[in-house]
Amino acid sequence: MFSKILIANRGEIACRVIETARKLGVATVAVYSEADSEARHVAMADEAVAIGGPAPKDSYLRGDAIIEAAKQTGAQAIHPGYGFLSENPDFVDAVGAAGLVFIGPSAKAIRAMGLKDAAKALMEKAGVPVVPGYHGDNQDPEHLAGAADTIGYPVLIKAVAGGGGKGMRLVEAPSDFADALASAQGEAQTAFGNPAVLIEKFIGSPRHIEVQVFGDGDKAVHLFERDCSLQRRHQKVIEEAPAPGMTPEMREAMGQAATRAAEAIGYKGAGTVEFIVDGSDGLRPDRFWFMEMNTRLQVEHPVTEAITGVDLVEWQLRVASGEPLPCAQGDLTITGHAFEARLYAEDVPAGFLPATGTLSHLRFADGCRADTGVRTGDTISPWYDPMIAKVITHGPTRATALGQLARALEETEVAGTVTNLAFLARLARHEGFARGEVDTGLIGREIDALAAPTETPVAAKALAVIAAAGLWDGEASGFSLWQSPRRAVPFEEEAAIRVHGPGQVTVELGEEAHACQLAEDGWRVNGAKTGARMAQSDGTITIFLHGAHRFDIPDPLARGADADASDLTLAPMPGLVKAVFVSAGDTVAAGDRLAIMEAMKMEHTMRAARDGVVAEVLVAEGAQVEAGAALIRLEDEA
């Protein structure tokens, strides 16, 4: 076993690897960018080395700096986590050339699976079923359109070097193909530096089921399947293991196909073979096809760990250090059911727009596993993925584990940024999901209900007024005996409070009055127990009561601007202006594209809020802008 390893990553996966290394008595070295100097993974590691600026290309993608840090600190091996350099074969070669061990597969294996078209050809030779499609080198638009005609619509255009839904477009009719192809190729070029695409048949009732594999470079075993069908824009949202409705025959067929795939490329370490499954007639052994292989540890690996009792990071370290596979296929069994939900800083009603902010409060529910790379006081940076945590539950049955997940999400508390918590909790309570009726289109079909703004209970408003008045702890701070017991409170609506004594107040909201009492079990509103908790920072109060309810407390000394906000298109977050589609004098209609921003690894289209004429374009393509920066100003038509 190694005595010291370096972790070439950040956030929750770096923290996750450190935890297992500690358990094994292995010292750890963290690397960090300027934006991450105070990050949780830096604090957890035994040593930490700065490697550059906040942009990934200046730090976490600098293989030379990472290898030099490993050599300077005496680390014997490098764990890549996921993302960044984890599937970069050139980095793997450089690690080996430096006399270090890469904790993962060989560069040859990564190259074999790195391009979707080549990987599918290889899998066909290994006897693994693949989706009908065109995986050739001819990238002429007319040739690709002809291939789509031959395959039959609807088809998927997919970047051959893609991942995470980038460079992917669904095309339902020939007339839409050209525009979709150009869009997919442009996004692929930006994200991966490779515009090449492949064309696949689109499966009508698709499920995304993947198999966890682990190899020693010769033989491989599988650790059963995970269902990752709950997706939004091809991004996984909630994963589970095992897959609902899985039959022994289907599991055997998929497991054998996955191990054949791993052994065909001499795979070493943890990997995932992803399959698309036609779930229109149940799970059948003749209705699954290879999509791609992820030659790294997956984000959703904790659900596999939960049902198998295996620590996959421990297996990675042991096999990379020269040990054989820890167990044979027959030794692996499934116990219970597990779920993982990805908690992100994102504005769901605004179209899942990634968000930033400083976490003024962070608390996870009791009884769940929470893999996180942040703490209270940390900032969600615009430079990286806005994940806050992965919330994982495990129970004896699917129904029990799902109920635990719903409760854990409802009891998790985050303040300082908007999150997708309410969306996740609604999804966990979805009746169809509870019945196991899952496919990749479920979220899209139910998006209006799942993403609707959360209704704020009156009790939460009353409690926010109490907090705004400085009375949350029951002490009448700021109130004097010679003052009137009634006082107006700055709030989002007309509000006042009457103090009857410590912990005894009446909150007036408009014409309604609510009796509030601080008891041993917390605040009660109109006699009802709330169990509510509160977080407060910088003019914002968050009440945690059946979800998080945020209130911006107005500053009575502030003066609001009179300008019509619909005249200005503002940057929703710091980012790069990738394209501007209009010029001064252009006439636009509400919803027209004005510009594209690239931020937090995603493209965001800025659209006109109303009809009008472009008065000014205030930014140029290629400009880096801050959140709130004015991009384009509209005016009324003359």
Side-chain angles (χ1 to χ4, degrees), residues 92-352:
V92 177
D93 284 337
V95 170
L100 304 170
V101 176
F102 180 78
I103 302 174
S106 67
K108 180 180 179 181
I110 294 175
R111 287 190 177 100
M113 290 297 182
L115 296 178
K116 289 184 173 66
D117 50 355
K120 291 187 177 183
L122 180 62
M123 290 300 97
E124 282 186 297
K125 292 181 181 178
V128 178
V130 301
V131 179
Y134 174 75
H135 311 132
D137 296 329
N138 191 333
Q139 294 291 302
D140 179 75
E142 288 189 14
H143 183 80
L144 293 173
D149 291 336
T150 301
I151 295 165
Y153 285 88
V155 298
L156 274 179
I157 301 173
K158 298 172 70 172
V160 299
K166 296 181 178 65
M168 182 184 295
R169 298 292 185 275
L170 170 62
V171 189
E172 299 192 25
S175 59
D176 300 327
F177 186 84
D179 287 344
L181 175 63
S183 177
Q185 289 176 327
E187 191 170 72
Q189 177 65 45
T190 297
F192 314 113
N194 183 350
V197 298
L198 55 83
I199 313 296
E200 282 184 350
K201 176 67 177 174
F202 178 71
I203 308 301
S205 298
R207 287 178 63 176
H208 181 147
I209 300 178
E210 60 190 30
V211 177
Q212 176 72 58
V213 294
F214 205 100
D216 62 4
D218 181 25
K219 295 295 184 183
V221 296
H222 71 84
L223 291 89
F224 313 108
E225 79 281 352
R226 298 183 289 257
D227 195 308
C228 305
S229 299
L230 287 192
Q231 300 182 11
R232 181 194 60 80
R233 297 176 186 168
H234 308 291
Q235 296 278 3
K236 299 168 186 175
V237 176
I238 293 180
E239 303 98 349
E240 62 180 300
M246 180 60 69
T247 65
E249 295 79 15
M250 180 76 156
R251 177 172 291 129
E252 178 71 13
M254 294 187 78
Q256 287 185 4
T259 53
R260 283 200 304 272
E263 290 175 354
I265 59 172
Y267 196 79
K268 185 175 183 179
T272 298
V273 182
E274 300 192 356
F275 296 100
I276 190 75
V277 179
D278 183 349
S280 60
D281 192 24
L283 297 184
R284 293 172 41 180
D286 62 343
R287 297 287 182 90
F288 71 91
W289 302 276
F290 172 87
M291 284 202 303
E292 61 184 334
M293 184 175 184
N294 292 301
T295 51
R296 53 171 166 77
L297 194 67
Q298 287 280 90
V299 177
E300 58 272 21
H301 75 273
V303 294
T304 294
E305 294 182 324
I307 66 166
T308 61
V310 169
D311 183 331
L312 286 168
V313 175
E314 178 181 338
W315 277 29
Q316 286 185 300
L317 297 183
R318 290 172 62 183
V319 170
S321 66
E323 294 185 26
L325 281 173
C327 71
Q329 187 67 61
D331 299 324
L332 293 163
T333 58
I334 295 175
T335 301
H337 206 98
F339 286 91
E340 173 185 291
R342 301 188 185 192
L343 171 57
Y344 280 97
E346 59 184 8
D347 190 339
V348 173
F352 295 86

Side-chain angles (χ1 to χ4, degrees), residues 38-51:
E38 302 298 324
R40 183 172 183 255
H41 77 281
V42 174
M44 287 180 64
D46 298 297
E47 300 174 63
V49 179
I51 54 170

